[in-house]
């Protein structure tokens, strides 16, 4: 074992630095007395050298895709090409202001227009909106579009149906748009057609599905699913979190979906940024196009403009035009890969996943037979007899230099371990991971319970965090004084 | 991507001849191909194509830009860019595994700590997408805290914010009722505000500065009038270096925009939705929160906490659907704030206030022009009126390298602009504004 994460003792900025510069600034000249802030905000002031040291040392205690293998299932932690960053930081890209007139932003509008078309083509949709800032934001937008469509048809539908394997954002987004959630159980890891047929009705606004589903299994009954949902007048919603599994092989449009969101930070290689920003464009079939958010990038002659003249639109879901910085990175990726490269990315993502799976299934149970797409879910339930949980396995993988997979999701599989290798990893990396995982599941319970020992900290008292709720330095001082 | 030999070996391990067999579970009837996207370009060709497309832009950052309206071009220190460029932050994801993500978690905790001090709120979460979606979430959160179906909002609210808010309110069926502003001062019309406080009102939004740039001086009276209803304060984060923070006047929920702290204007995204609240409300709050705890050896450590509010655990009962947020912009903001400190923020606030007043004076000196239009006090942004339509002014002045302000959507304000000043504005920019304005209106 050779991995060891940096272990600096970095005090909080408040503990090491202060703000002792007395600026003597008074605002009396400009503001009435009763609205002026009396004391300056208590924020330490670091010189550049100290600030850079502080944050650099912290960064060394953080694991990113650049640090190593990051097989976090459902998150598509593929490598983020460096040229994307460089293009997005060009002054011609990042120094644009959202209130500039169309005539001054022709390059950006052309890129947005082309990106809309590319994403529409990849997903088999008619029109795209680039405005949503994240996948869940795209889901919420899609649900609002569904709502507007049904209302426009004079229909008050109040339910959204989804399978028990769906991402948590699906029910949460639909509930935010005002829908009651109907969850249907899966049958052998797939949508149970009978349960679906029994659940849908004239109350169904939409059925939300990710395909392949969160077990990595392709829902090959998708045409029947579409028939059932459309049969009652419902819409079929595609959660694009798993789009990396199907590019160039099939498309949501071809499968019968009406609304799609994509996660550009997953499939289209933009960095995850420690949790964001992402981008969650939404595509729809022709009959829903009028309801997409405004504006949409449009072309007239040789000129591009932001089209606000869409009277049936749901309006806006973001203060400006979405996360342009992320859109440009994704556009750069699509140009670099091309249609051929995207298809090949999917092929390799699925090959890597199936290859890794046949190695892992030699020592861990992988429920449900058959092919997998871009990810697969193993179960750590057999380890329970030794008093070992999936969580222990995950923590021990850290000591081997790997970011743990997603654990305890989907709930359908007991003690689940969800592994998504992505296409950007080599066979050597997959072999090393498979060997490490095999070693880990064979290690003694003591070692596993003790893990991690090579990260910057040991296992955390997370229950204390929820009990004491120390959410700021101010809270911390109060806690210490107790 | 794997080597060709790797690919062959992996296929052999699966007893397959080609990757096509991996897709045998996709029915033939739904198969499709990507046909309308050209083949991939090599890196130099990609760079050249994108640079030439972008060269068709005329970025505000290269002109004398007085654009604001929610997005502000403050100077970004190079050191901030070096922090956000650290690939350990950039290429990581949500810190689900805290042991291997302590660096990011501490930065996020420091962001929360500094933002609590700036805003005076007990708790600040770890980012929403932007101000507008933060406002939508705030309305939903307020409606969870108090019974009622009506949320009061200012008549001055910008159209994009209003439209986003409407969309967030559709689900629970919240009605939005607007209260009037005083036509002379630009402040809240208190009598009208009070008259709208029916029994069905669960809360109200007060924006200070509002979308006319006017700082609300009657926050205490508004707080009192609301009683135990929820006060949502929408603020300009930098202004809090100079004006009373929302924690000081008892706001229940605070929302703001953090883009100005170390993030480029970026054509309006990524932004940074800042949200804070009173500690008593924290379990109803949307978004991620980082807590301080220790590890089994007693070392101080940080982790995500209160996750039982979130979608991956609570599904449809979650306080929000938010998953991906704007974490990297909070990293930028934390490093920006640490570099400026409380005193540096006051310097920046003072500079922009001073320069905005000099600009207002210069505009008023031009025949037929007036700035500010409203008599209420302002921070770095104000409404100006001109003898020509705003659209014409923008067109003509930007031809000469000046972006004079943002058009107003309110009725009767076709000859007005919302004009903003940041710390990138110099005396030369102000002189140029006045000069070009004179040429255009004459």
């Amino acid at each position: 074992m050779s991995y060891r994460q940096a272990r600096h003792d970095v005090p909080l900025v408040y503990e090491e630095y202060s703000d002792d510069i007395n600026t003597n600034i008074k605002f009396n000249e400009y503001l009435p007395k009763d609205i002026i802030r009396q004391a300056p905000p208590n924020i330490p002031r670091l010189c550049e050298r100290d600030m850079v040291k502080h944050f650099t040392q912290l960064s060394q205690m953080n694991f990113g895709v650049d640090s190593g293998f990051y097989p976090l299932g459902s998150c598509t932690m593929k490598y983020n090409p460096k040229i994307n960053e460089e293009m997005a930081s060009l002054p011609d890209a990042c120094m644009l202001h959202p209130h500039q007139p169309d005539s001054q932003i022709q390059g950006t509008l052309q890129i947005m227009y082309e990106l809309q078309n590319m994403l529409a083509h990849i997903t088999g949709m008619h029109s795209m909106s680039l405005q949503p800032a994240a996948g869940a934001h795209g889901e919420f937008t899609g649900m609002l579009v569904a709502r507007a469509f049904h209302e426009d048809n004079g229909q008050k539908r109040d339910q959204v149906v989804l399978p028990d394997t769906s991402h948590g954002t699906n029910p949460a987004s639909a509930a935010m748009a005002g829908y009651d959630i109907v969850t249907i159980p899966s049958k052998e890891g797939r949508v149970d057609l009978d349960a679906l047929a029994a659940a849908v009705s004239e109350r169904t606004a939409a059925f939300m599905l990710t395909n392949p589903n969160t077990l990595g299994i392709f829902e090959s009954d998708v045409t029947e699913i579409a028939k059932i949902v459309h049969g009652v007048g419902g819409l079929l919603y595609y959660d694009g979190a798993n789009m990396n599994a199907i590019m160039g092989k099939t498309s949501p449009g071809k499968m019968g979906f009406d609304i799609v969101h994509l996660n550009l930070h997953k499939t289209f290689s933009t960095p995850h940024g420690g949790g964001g920003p992402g981008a969650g464009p939404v595509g729809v079939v022709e009959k829903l196009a009028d309801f997409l958010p405004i504006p949409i990038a449009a072309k007239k002659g040789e000129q591009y403009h932001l089209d606000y003249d869409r009277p049936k639109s749901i309006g806006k879901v973001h203060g400006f035009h979405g996360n342009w910085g992320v859109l440009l990175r994704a556009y750069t990726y699509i140009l670099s890969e091309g249609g051929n490269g995207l298809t090949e990315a999917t092929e390799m993502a699925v090959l890597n996943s199936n290859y890794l799976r046949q190695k892992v299934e030699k020592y861990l149970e992988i429920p449900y037979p058959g092919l997998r797409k871009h990810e697969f879910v193993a179960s750590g339930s057999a380890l329970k007899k030794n008093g070992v949980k999936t969580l222990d396995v995950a923590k021990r993988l850290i000591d081997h230099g790997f970011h743990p997979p997603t654990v305890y999701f989907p709930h359908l599989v007991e003690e689940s371990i969800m592994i998504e290798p992505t296409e950007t990893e080599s066979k050597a990396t997959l072999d090393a991971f498979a060997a490490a995982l095999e070693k880990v599941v064979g290690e003694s319970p003591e070692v596993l319970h003790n893990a991690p020992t090579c990260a910057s900290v040991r296992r955390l008292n997370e229950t204390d965090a929820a009990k004491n709720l120390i959410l700021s330095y101010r809270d911390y001082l109060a806690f210490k004084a107790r | 991507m794997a080597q060709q030999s790797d690919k062959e070996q992996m296929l052999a391990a699966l007893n397959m001849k080609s990757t096509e067999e991996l897709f045998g579970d996709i029915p033939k009837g739904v198969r499709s191909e990507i046909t309308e996207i050209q083949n991939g370009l090599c890196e130099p060709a990609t760079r050249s194509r994108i640079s030439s497309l972008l060269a068709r832009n005329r970025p505000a950052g290269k002109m004398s830009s007085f654009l604001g309206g929610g997005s502000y071009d403050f100077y970004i220190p190079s050191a901030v860019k070096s922090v956000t460029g650290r690939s350990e932050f950039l290429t990581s994801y949500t810190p689900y595994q805290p042991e291997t993500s302590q660096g990011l978690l501490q930065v996020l905790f420091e962001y929360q700590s500094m933002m609590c001090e700036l805003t005076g709120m007990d708790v600040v979460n770890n980012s929403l997408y932007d101000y507008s979606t933060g406002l939508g979430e705030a309305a939903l959160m307020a409606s969870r805290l108090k019974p009622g179906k009506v949320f009061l909002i200012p008549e001055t609210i910008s159209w994009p914010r209003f439209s986003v808010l409407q969309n967030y309110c559709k689900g629970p069926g919240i009605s939005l009722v607007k209260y009037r502003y005083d036509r002379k001062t630009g402040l809240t019309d208190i009598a009208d505000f009070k008259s709208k406080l029916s029994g069905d009102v669960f809360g109200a939004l007060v924006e200070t500065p509002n979308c006319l740039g006017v700082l609300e001086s009657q926050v205490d009276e508004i707080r009192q009038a609301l009683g135990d209803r929820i006060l949502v304060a929408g603020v300009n984060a930098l202004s809090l270096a100079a004006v009373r923070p929302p924690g000081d006047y008892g706001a229940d929920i605070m929302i703001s925009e953090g883009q100005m702290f170390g993030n480029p204007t970026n054509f309006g995204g990524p932004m940074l939705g800042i949200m804070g609240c009173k500690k008593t409300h924290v379990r109803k709050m949307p978004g991620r929160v980082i807590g301080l705890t220790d590890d089994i050896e007693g070392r101080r450590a940080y982790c995500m906490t209160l996750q039982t509010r979130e979608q991956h655990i609570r599904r449809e009962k979650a306080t929000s659907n938010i998953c991906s947020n704007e974490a990297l912009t909070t990293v930028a903001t934390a490093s920006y704030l640490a570099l400026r400190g409380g005193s540096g923020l006051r310097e920046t606030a003072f500079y922009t206030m001073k320069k905005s007043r000099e600009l207002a004076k210069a505009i008023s000196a031009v025949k037929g022009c007036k700035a500010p239009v409203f008599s209420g006090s302002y921070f770095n942004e104000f409404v100006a009126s001109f003898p020509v339509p705003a659209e014409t002014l923008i067109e003509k002045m930007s031809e000469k390298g000046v972006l004079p302000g943002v058009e107003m959507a309110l009725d009767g304000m076709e000859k007005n602009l919302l004009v903003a000043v940041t710390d990138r504005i110099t005396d030369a920019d102000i002189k140029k504004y006045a000069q070009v304005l004179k040429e255009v209106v004459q």
Side-chain angles (χ1 to χ4, degrees), chain A residues 162 167-177 179-183, chain B residues 137 140-141 144 282-287 306-322:
Chain A
L162 35 80
H167 294 115
T169 48
N170 289 183
S173 300
M176 261 173 81
Y179 287 113
D180 291 335
I181 307 304
V182 179
T183 305
Chain B
E137 293 275 15
L140 298 183
M141 178 178 168
R144 290 192 288 269
V282 67
R283 283 170 204 280
K284 303 279 183 198
M285 185 167 64
L306 294 174
Q307 289 190 62
T308 49
R309 300 164 300 120
E310 293 193 59
Q311 50 75 27
H312 59 282
I313 299 189
R314 286 298 291 283
R315 298 177 72 86
E316 63 265 32
K317 294 194 175 64
T319 55
S320 169
N321 67 338
I322 192 164

Side-chain angles (χ1 to χ4, degrees), chain A residues 43-315:
Chain A
I43 298 174
R45 186 168 184 168
L46 282 61
C47 67
E48 179 174 332
R49 197 267 167 278
D50 288 342
M51 187 281 261
V52 169
K53 181 182 74 175
H54 178 83
F55 287 94
T56 300
Q57 289 193 346
L58 287 176
S59 75
Q60 289 165 342
M61 295 194 285
N62 213 58
F63 194 100
V65 172
D66 281 8
S67 319
F69 188 42
Y70 208 128
L72 196 65
S74 248
C75 298
T76 314
M77 301 301 289
K78 61 170 76 174
Y79 175 72
N80 313 129
K82 299 301 173 195
I83 187 173
N84 298 357
E85 296 312 303
E86 214 177 310
M87 294 300 100
S89 61
L90 291 173
D92 283 344
C94 72
M95 293 183 99
L96 287 193
H97 191 280
H99 285 299
Q100 285 190 258
D102 290 350
S103 60
Q104 296 172 8
I105 54 171
Q106 284 297 302
T108 286
L109 292 181
Q110 183 174 347
I111 288 171
M112 288 173 72
Y113 179 81
E114 288 181 7
L115 184 60
Q116 285 169 194
N117 290 343
M118 288 166 165
L119 298 177
H121 177 63
I122 293 166
T123 55
M125 291 290 120
H126 178 272
S127 303
M128 298 290 303
S129 163
L130 303 176
Q131 204 173 110
H137 200 207
E139 293 173 13
F140 176 56
T141 305
M143 287 295 106
L144 290 172
V145 166
R147 197 184 151 117
F149 168 77
H150 290 308
E151 281 172 6
D152 191 57
N153 287 338
Q155 295 186 344
K156 275 220 160 295
R157 292 171 177 257
D158 63 346
Q159 292 180 341
V160 164
V161 184
L162 35 80
D164 56 3
T165 52
S166 62
H167 294 115
T169 48
N170 289 183
S173 300
M176 261 173 81
Y179 287 113
D180 291 335
I181 307 304
V182 179
T183 305
I184 57 167
S186 301
K187 189 175 167 186
E188 278 142 34
R190 289 187 173 80
V191 172
D192 180 341
L193 293 183
D194 295 332
L196 176 63
V200 297
S201 68
E202 71 287 345
R203 293 178 64 184
T204 306
F207 177 62
M208 297 178 91
L209 183 66
T210 172
N211 195 15
N213 64 27
T214 55
L215 295 168
I217 298 174
F218 191 81
E219 300 273 1
S220 39
D221 293 332
V222 65
T223 310
E224 286 69 37
I225 292 171
K227 232 176 256 167
I228 293 169
V229 176
H230 290 150
V232 297
L235 297 169
L236 198 56
Y237 183 95
Y238 186 84
D239 173 345
N242 296 348
M243 191 71 201
N244 210 42
I246 63 160
M247 286 188 294
K249 299 295 168 187
T250 176
S251 75
K254 195 80 182 175
M255 289 187 264
F257 287 88
D258 303 293
I259 312 176
V260 178
H261 90 261
L262 295 172
N263 302 71
L264 300 188
H265 46 291
K266 297 181 182 177
T267 318
F268 296 92
S269 88
T270 76
H272 284 69
V282 170
V284 293
V285 293
E286 190 168 7
K287 67 178 176 184
L288 299 173
D290 288 348
F291 302 97
L292 284 176
I294 43 175
I296 299 239
K299 188 180 184 186
K300 204 172 179 182
E302 286 309 302
Q303 292 294 304
Y304 297 88
H305 66 281
L306 288 169
D307 181 11
Y308 284 88
D309 187 19
R310 303 171 67 90
K312 286 190 174 178
S313 163
I314 60 166

Side-chain angles (χ1 to χ4, degrees), chain A residues 83 87 90 92 106-115 117-118 299 302 304 324 328 331-336, chain B residues 37-57:
Chain A
I83 187 173
M87 294 300 100
L90 291 173
D92 283 344
Q106 284 297 302
T108 286
L109 292 181
Q110 183 174 347
I111 288 171
M112 288 173 72
Y113 179 81
E114 288 181 7
L115 184 60
N117 290 343
M118 288 166 165
K299 188 180 184 186
E302 286 309 302
Y304 297 88
W324 154 248
L328 177 56
Y331 178 82
T332 306
Y333 176 71
I334 296 175
L335 279 197
S336 318
Chain B
I37 297 177
Q38 63 175 24
N39 282 351
L41 302 176
C42 61
E43 189 171 312
T46 304
R47 178 187 300 271
S48 143
R49 164 91 182 140
I50 289 180
S51 315
S52 66
L53 277 173
L54 289 172
R56 300 185 60 204
N57 288 336

Side-chain angles (χ1 to χ4, degrees), chain B residues 175-219:
Chain B
S175 307
L176 298 170
V177 172
K178 288 183 178 176
Y179 57 86
R180 288 171 58 84
Y181 72 98
D182 185 285
R183 287 341 193 222
K184 196 166 159 288
T185 61
L187 294 163
T188 297
D189 178 338
I190 283 285
D192 188 62
F193 181 84
K194 286 180 179 166
S195 77
K196 299 215 156 107
L197 286 172
S198 70
D200 213 21
V201 173
F202 63 81
L205 168 70
V206 172
E207 292 193 308
T208 176
N210 62 17
C211 293
L212 307 173
V214 173
L215 290 162
E216 185 53 69
S217 58
Q218 311 160 96
V219 283

Side-chain angles (χ1 to χ4, degrees), chain B residues 53-69:
Chain B
L53 277 173
L54 289 172
R56 300 185 60 204
N57 288 336
R58 223 183 134 201
K62 290 182 177 174
M63 295 192 255
S64 294
S65 169
F66 297 83
L67 300 181

